[in-house]
Amino acid sequence: MPWSTSELATLAGTTVNTIRHYHRVGLLEHPERRSNGYKSYEAPHLLRLLQIRRLREIGVPLDRVEEMASGEQPSETLRAVDAELDSEIQRLQQMRADISVILKGDFAAWLPVEFEDVAHRLSSTEKAAILLSTTLYDSDALADMRQMLLDEVDRSDGASEEFDALPPDADEDVRVRLAERFAPELALVFRQYPWLSDPSGRTSVPLDAAQVALAEAMITLYNPAQRDVMAQAITLARAQDGETNQP
C-alpha cells in the first residue's frame, strides 16, 4: 500500500522536512503522484530512507551518503568518518575537562582554564585582557603570560588597588608617581620576556591586526588616566632596562 509523506516519515522515524531535504539534495528519488496530486511512496523509498538514516546515525555526512549507499569504497569513507569522529570526541572530552576545572575552581567560565590557578588574583579588567590575548597570541606567549602572573610579587604599597581606583581626571602628579612605582617591575618583565617589545613572532593573527585590537581594547577597558599611567610606566621601564644593559 502506498504511503503519504507523513506516513513514510513515521515509518522511517524521521520528519517530513527531512524527507523533503533528501529530495532536494538528490539522495531520495521523488515518488509518483496519485490522481489527487499527493505523493505516493513505495517500499523502495522506505528502504532507501532507512539506509540513509542508518548511515547518518554512524556519522556519515550527507555528501558521502551516496558513495556509501552505492558500495563505492566504503572502508575508505568509514575510516575518514572514524577519524573525524575521533577528533570530535577529543574536542568534546577537552570541553568536559575544561568544564570540570571551571566547576571545581568556581571562576569565570569564559576565562581559559590555563589561567585557573591565577584567576583569583585578576580583576575583571585583567580577565578581559587575558581573554583577548587568547585570540591574539600563540600558545607560547600565553604560557609566558601565565608565568608572569605566577611570578608576580604582590605589592605591599597598594599600587594595583590605587591603579584600579584611579579616576579618569586624576592629577598629573598622581599618575607620574604611580607610573614610577610600576616601572621597576615592568622593566624586569621586559628583560625576562623580550618578545613583549617585539611580538611579531608571537601573534596568532597578523601583527597589525593584533595591535589595532589591543589599542581598541585599551580604550574600552581602561580610562584615560589609567592608560596614561601605563604609557608612562612602559617608557620608564624601557629606559631603566636600557640603563641596565649599558656596558
Side-chain angles (χ1 to χ4, degrees), residues 28-100:
L28 185 65
E29 291 185 0
H30 288 279
E32 295 182 357
R33 292 184 180 271
R34 304 173 189 174
S35 58
N36 58 10
Y38 288 101
K39 292 178 180 178
S40 179
Y41 291 94
E42 304 284 348
H45 296 101
L46 174 60
L47 294 174
R48 173 64 169 179
L49 192 54
L50 291 173
Q51 186 182 52
I52 296 170
R53 177 186 169 187
R54 176 54 185 160
L55 291 173
R56 294 293 288 142
E57 285 176 345
I58 63 173
V60 177
L62 278 180
D63 60 358
R64 297 185 183 179
V65 164
E66 184 60 41
E67 62 184 82
M68 285 292 299
S70 63
E72 296 179 10
Q73 299 179 324
S75 296
E76 292 184 15
T77 300
L78 283 179
R79 288 192 185 96
V81 171
D82 186 60
E84 292 172 2
L85 290 174
D86 182 62
S87 177
E88 180 65 9
I89 288 170
Q90 291 183 42
R91 187 183 70 84
L92 292 173
Q93 288 176 333
Q94 184 59 56
M95 290 170 61
R96 292 198 67 194
D98 288 353
I99 289 173
S100 176

